[in-house]
Amino acid sequence: MTTKQDLVPDKFWPELTYPLTFADALSVLSKQQLTNIRLNLQISNLSTLNKQGLVEKLGKLIPDNLELTTRCWDHNRMKFVQKIAKNGGLWDKPLLEYQQYDYFRERGILYPGTVDGKRVVIMPSELVELFKSGDLFQDHPIHSRNTEWIRLTRGLLYYYGTLSAEELKSFVITDADHPLSEFDIMNIIYDASDYYEQIEIDEEAMISDYRVVDPASIRKERALRLELDFYPFTKQELLKAGEPDFVERNSHYTNLVRYVLSHYEIDRDEADFLVEECVDAAKNGDSLASVLEVAQDFIEMPSIEMMSEITDLLVPLMNNTKQWAIKGYSPAELSLKRASAGVLLNTVPNRTVRADVIDLKTKQKVGRNDPCPCGSGKKFKKCCGQ
């Protein structure tokens, strides 16, 4: 059975001894790797040292800077390193992704290596007692705050796709938070993006969900909807969406999964993944034809009848998928919002912008002069398209 550890390159697992001292752990690293630790710990005045001098200094400074190093952590990271400390500093279970092993090593906390022919992760003995005691770290209110902020951020990105730093702060920071919270949150999210794959930050400090294909395109589309507010999710909805592996499975999602399971030799996980990929394409604003191609990457559609049946399931799924370009609304929700408000919510001078509602019968995007798919008999522009 292939494990996550097996997929990491061999050079990532140098020969180590156990128990492990900082001197032994740091001496097998390159000068650049040592420099990365220094930079991550924000330790200055060491750049002129040679490798041996850097090893000696870091061995003393990493424990001294431990509270600062863990200041941006959530409960997940803290509990993991404490678990390793309670196991004597040795861990041989494949729990982490490649970048997570690298994350801990580049902060001087854990070192991937090989002991007696087995791939393990080792904590230097100088840190084991510090983490085992838990006096400085266990149930620290900062880690509780960080945990909530990271989950809220992941939930916001699940529904909105991409946010600026200021937008993120406006959703997460409250009046009751500490005055320095606006500064803290970006440090916490930058640090979380190094550890978790779900969060990406670009050169313009735009924070995006990892599934967003083109954040700039989404921001451009939103600029045409200045009068449309973000969909008002509750805090509990966002915290739930921020849980690992969360997927919003509405009835249309379930219907497509059931169809695939009943017509193809495919297991539940594969069927779920197929529909998730279709949902992600819809969130990115892909057309019906493109989403259909995504489905065809997983399953064959040998007849026109079968393609039509799947399309009939994809149309309501797309119409009821919350999309990033329309600020967390689904096309159906936005159409209903316009109709109930009786006003045009997303216009700019000399241009009208609409959500791409798809007509279930024609499988085409609804044009402004087309009959409204709600069945009123009016043109779309005179009804839900207002």
Side-chain angles (χ1 to χ4, degrees), residues 154-182:
R154 290 197 303 222
L156 287 162
L157 297 180
Y158 181 85
Y159 285 121
Y160 299 147
T162 184
L163 294 168
S164 68
E166 292 307 311
E167 287 170 336
L168 178 64
K169 291 174 186 177
S170 72
F171 284 119
V172 176
I173 303 299
T174 67
D175 293 337
D177 285 318
H178 190 277
L180 292 179
S181 291
E182 289 198 13

Side-chain angles (χ1 to χ4, degrees), residues 333-365:
E333 287 171 333
L334 188 53
S335 181
L336 181 61
K337 180 178 176 69
R338 289 169 173 163
S340 62
V343 295
L344 186 63
L345 293 178
N346 54 346
T347 59
V348 293
N350 301 319
R351 179 165 182 175
T352 300
V353 184
R354 60 179 176 81
D356 291 330
V357 174
I358 300 172
D359 190 333
L360 182 58
K361 294 180 180 179
T362 65
K363 315 301 186 298
Q364 300 295 321
K365 293 178 182 179

Side-chain angles (χ1 to χ4, degrees), residues 76-84 95-96 104 110:
N76 183 31
R77 279 168 281 180
M78 184 56 67
K79 289 179 179 178
F80 177 67
V81 296
Q82 286 178 332
K83 185 182 294 185
I84 293 178
L95 292 180
L96 299 181
F104 284 119
L110 302 174

Side-chain angles (χ1 to χ4, degrees), residues 28-47:
V28 301
L29 301 183
S30 67
K31 177 71 179 295
Q32 183 58 55
Q33 288 173 320
L34 295 171
T35 299
N36 290 342
I37 294 175
R38 178 181 68 80
L39 294 174
N40 280 315
L41 271 57
Q42 301 178 36
I43 299 172
S44 57
N45 302 321
L46 300 184
S47 58

Side-chain angles (χ1 to χ4, degrees), residues 62-80:
I62 291 172
D64 293 342
N65 284 268
L66 197 57
E67 190 168 4
L68 179 62
T69 302
T70 61
R71 182 177 176 79
C72 291
W73 287 12
D74 54 3
H75 286 314
N76 183 31
R77 279 168 281 180
M78 184 56 67
K79 289 179 179 178
F80 177 67

Side-chain angles (χ1 to χ4, degrees), residues 207-265:
I207 306 106
S208 302
D209 185 279
Y210 72 101
R211 289 161 289 208
V212 176
V213 175
D214 188 354
S217 176
I218 291 172
R219 296 197 291 273
K220 184 177 179 180
E221 286 292 316
R222 284 190 190 156
L224 304 174
R225 298 169 166 85
L226 296 178
E227 295 182 27
L228 177 65
D229 293 331
F230 285 91
Y231 185 94
F233 295 100
T234 66
K235 182 177 181 179
Q236 289 307 310
E237 287 174 326
L238 294 174
L239 287 172
K240 184 177 180 180
E243 293 174 354
D245 303 320
F246 171 81
V247 177
E248 187 175 52
R249 294 178 173 88
N250 58 27
S251 60
H252 309 288
Y253 179 107
T254 304
N255 289 341
L256 183 52
V257 169
R258 287 174 178 168
Y259 179 91
V260 172
L261 288 174
S262 65
H263 288 78
Y264 295 90
E265 293 183 2

